[in-house]
Amino acid sequence: MAKKKNKEKTRIHFDTDWKYDPAPESVEHIKVNKQYEHYIGGSWKSPNEGKYFNTVNPASGKRLARIASGSTSDIDDAVAAARKAFGPWSALPGKERGKWLFKLARQIQERAREFAVIESLDGGKPIRESKAVDIPLAAAHFFYHAGWADKLTYAFPGRNPEPLGVAGQIIPWNFPLLMAAWKLAPALATGNTVVLKPAETTPLTALKLAELIDDLGFPPGVINIVTGAGDTGAALVQHPDIDKIAFTGSTDVGKEIQKSIAGTGKKLTLELGGKAANIILEDAAIDQAVEGIINGIYFNQGHVCCAGSRLLVQESIESKVIKKLKDRMSTLVIGDPLDKNTDIGAINSRAQLKTIQKYIELGAKEGGEIFQCEGSLPDGKGFWCKPTLFTGLAQSSTLVKEEIFGPVLAVQSFRTLEEALTKANNTPYGLSAGVWTDKGAKIFKMTTKLKAGIIWANTYNKFDPASPFGGYKESGFGREGGLHGLSAYVTF
Ligand code: ADP
């Protein structure tokens, strides 16, 4: 009887004014140095030009550490170290290379909490996501590729796969450790050596990885990590002794890279921007679809190149879906990235926040109707943006066309599947898309006609190391993950 009463009490008093108590992740076990150097040839090296920059916590605006800024001569040193290590590393039996990758994978798992906290401190993403997605997937990529290292002749039957040589790898700030894993694991498994340049706003987990590599006693020069901004990346791209460039970042920089290595014979894979359409058909399970849309654009602050930043909803269910979306948006918890209840953390940098704000203003100017939840953003000097939804935008409006890389969703409606396909494909990008429907036949119809490298059906933002990831058109070329990703690091 008492139980029943309690249940009812909970139900009766449930309303939208409730708040979770703070549940911050402990940071006592975390060690972040005041200053980090480059990791070159198995040791820590001060930058040749003596320059440093700050990496800040985007939730507070406070400096976390000083980071070495890489010059052309630092890149020269790193490429030389990688070249020296290439012979012995590529000559190592695959089984031995695999053991190193297994060790790395296991160590990432062992220290997962530390990596997750640092990822959230440096990047602003909710700890829930760092813990549940970034770090386990990073370990999974090393495990997966460790398994291939001694089976390359099975991966490419009847062929004789050889490593390319020294790979220059440049990564963005949205999934710092995971992107490092996506780049490093296939390169190392296939016998290449690497110079990795993390993004300037999120270098800490890559540097923690360097500490781990050092602790494990990895052969020197196999993995080199040089920190810096765009100039450092450009120096790596232009270095004459690089055999392959793997880049994840903006389409503009990707195009620049493509131009600058044209005619050099360097191999290239590019994973660039996106403007994915999430399409809800009228027969979809609406609550699940709404949750998928929220996950696709708002979790991780929309800092995902495959984010479902456009929603195409069938006209007959449009008002219902929008109402449910708004209701769900108003329950999202924005705030301290280290709090386990946080859904939406801090925007990665002041510059990115300005970009997002510029787009939001533009959306309103172009006639869109804006919805943001009531309530105030966290105090202090952090970078915050409310989840934002726009309706009433024309197909030609900037918010429908351009990648924003923030928690901003552009909603459009459609009547027929053909119209949905036309709208979804009417973009220079082609990275990802989502389809929500109860009918398998409709899934097949849509997925065969959508021009996107990754298409999810009745789910969104799901990743697996065995599943290739990459885009069409201005979203880049080449795949990461699976056999396709492996093949980007070998020649026959
Ligand atoms: P975002 O807009 O997401 O910051 P960028 O393309 O600017 O994406 O950055 C992605 C990565 O590319 C970062 O590591 C950055 O330092 C690097 N980068 C920026 N400009 C260049 C460039 N011209 N050449 C090589 N790398 C660059």
Side-chain angles (χ1 to χ4, degrees):
M1 188 62 198
K3 241 186 186 174
K4 194 172 170 217
K5 250 193 188 163
N6 265 342
K7 248 189 185 173
E8 273 171 10
K9 209 174 167 196
T10 319
R11 217 173 294 141
I12 290 162
H13 290 277
F14 187 89
D15 64 38
T16 49
D17 290 335
W18 55 267
K19 288 223 166 27
Y20 289 113
D21 280 340
E25 181 77 24
S26 136
V27 290
E28 267 110 58
H29 60 299
I30 302 305
K31 186 170 173 286
V32 175
N33 297 343
K34 285 211 165 90
Q35 182 169 306
Y36 284 92
E37 317 299 338
H38 303 307
Y39 187 69
I40 298 175
S43 15
W44 295 98
K45 296 247 166 75
S46 304
N48 289 331
E49 293 185 358
K51 291 191 184 144
Y52 292 83
F53 60 95
N54 293 335
T55 186
V56 302
N57 177 346
S60 66
K62 288 199 183 127
R63 179 168 85 187
L64 288 164
R66 262 160 56 90
I67 307 290
S69 177
S71 60
T72 307
S73 84
D74 296 320
I75 291 288
D76 286 345
D77 292 349
V79 175
R83 179 60 62 193
K84 194 168 158 210
F86 174 61
W89 179 251
S90 57
L92 214 58
K95 167 174 104 178
E96 298 303 319
R97 285 200 307 271
K99 281 187 198 164
W100 282 111
L101 294 186
F102 276 124
K103 280 188 200 172
L104 208 49
R106 279 198 296 267
Q107 280 302 308
I108 292 172
Q109 279 188 325
E110 287 265 313
R111 291 167 64 173
R113 210 154 87 87
E114 183 184 355
F115 273 108
V117 172
I118 294 176
E119 204 69 297
S120 287
L121 275 175
D122 202 19
K125 65 170 59 193
I127 187 74
R128 210 175 56 205
E129 170 150 320
S130 308
K131 270 186 174 177
V133 179
D134 293 64
I135 311 306
L137 270 178
H141 267 266
F142 282 110
F143 275 121
Y144 174 79
H145 288 93
W148 274 127
D150 62 346
K151 302 176 196 69
L152 295 177
T153 48
Y154 297 94
F156 309 106
R159 307 175 85 187
N160 186 24
E162 298 284 344
L164 299 173
V166 176
Q169 308 185 315
I170 300 168
I171 55 173
W173 43 260
N174 56 344
F175 289 91
L177 186 72
L178 181 58
M179 288 300 108
W182 278 26
K183 297 279 181 286
L184 292 172
L188 300 176
T190 45
N192 301 275
T193 55
V194 168
V195 178
L196 175 82
K197 195 207 79 70
E200 53 272 40
T201 56
T202 53
L204 287 183
T205 42
L207 291 163
K208 275 277 151 191
L209 187 70
E211 281 180 3
L212 206 154
I213 287 161
D214 202 50
D215 291 350
L216 285 173
F218 233 83
V222 170
I223 303 171
N224 305 277
I225 298 184
V226 178
T227 42
D231 291 352
T232 315
L236 182 56
V237 168
Q238 284 154 20
H239 197 287
D241 202 25
I242 287 282
D243 299 293
K244 146 118 194 167
I245 290 291
F247 172 79
T248 299
S250 62
T251 294
D252 287 348
V253 173
K255 284 181 183 170
E256 244 175 72
I257 291 176
Q258 202 172 2
K259 269 191 228 149
S260 89
I261 67 164
T264 62
K266 288 175 190 167
K267 293 255 187 330
L268 178 65
T269 40
L270 294 175
E271 201 265 275
L272 308 176
K275 192 73 193 174
N278 233 328
I279 306 170
I280 310 189
L281 307 186
E282 59 194 355
D283 55 31
I286 292 183
D287 288 333
Q288 272 125 291
V290 165
E291 199 54 32
I293 306 306
I294 295 277
N295 168 33
I297 182 66
Y298 296 131
F299 290 170
N300 197 18
Q301 304 79 246
H303 291 345
V304 191
C305 45
C306 53
S309 54
R310 288 184 294 155
L311 167 61
L312 295 176
V313 54
Q314 199 147 17
E315 208 174 76
S316 51
I317 53 165
E318 186 185 4
S319 53
K320 192 168 173 189
V321 167
I322 290 175
K323 179 171 182 323
K324 281 183 183 263
L325 258 178
K326 288 180 177 173
D327 286 350
R328 179 66 177 101
M329 282 168 77
S330 59
T331 66
L332 293 172
V333 180
I334 310 172
D336 180 6
L338 289 181
D339 193 309
K340 293 166 202 107
N341 297 318
T342 294
D343 295 308
I344 303 190
I347 300 298
N348 182 261
S349 64
R350 189 185 303 281
Q352 187 57 25
L353 179 59
K354 276 196 181 146
T355 304
I356 299 169
Q357 285 166 340
K358 185 194 80 188
Y359 276 111
I360 292 177
E361 281 165 26
L362 206 61
K365 256 191 217 150
E366 290 184 351
E369 192 178 310
I370 184 172
F371 173 80
Q372 287 182 324
C373 312
E374 284 169 16
S376 50
L377 289 170
D379 296 335
K381 293 199 171 146
F383 319 132
W384 309 99
C385 179
K386 284 187 178 179
T388 305
L389 179 148
F390 272 99
T391 48
L393 290 166
Q395 180 69 29
S396 58
S397 75
T398 315
L399 265 70
V400 170
K401 287 193 305 195
E402 293 186 10
E403 182 179 47
I404 301 171
F405 230 72
V408 183
L409 178 66
V411 184
Q412 295 176 283
S413 64
F414 65 89
R415 286 189 186 164
T416 63
L417 298 198
E418 281 64 33
E419 188 188 346
L421 285 167
T422 308
K423 281 185 168 158
N425 289 336
N426 186 4
T427 164
Y429 295 110
L431 187 58
S432 56
V435 181
W436 299 83
T437 169
D438 188 37
K439 302 279 179 293
K442 287 188 188 169
I443 291 177
F444 285 120
K445 177 173 172 150
M446 302 292 281
T447 51
T448 48
K449 292 189 177 156
L450 280 167
K451 293 202 173 69
I454 309 113
I455 305 173
W456 288 286
N458 293 329
T459 187
Y460 206 81
N461 272 350
K462 292 279 177 270
F463 305 95
D464 188 280
S467 173
F469 184 97
Y472 284 99
K473 303 193 280 184
E474 292 201 9
S475 292
F477 48 77
R479 296 290 179 264
E480 293 184 292
L483 277 180
H484 296 76
L486 208 57
S487 69
Y489 284 93
V490 292
T491 180
F492 301 104

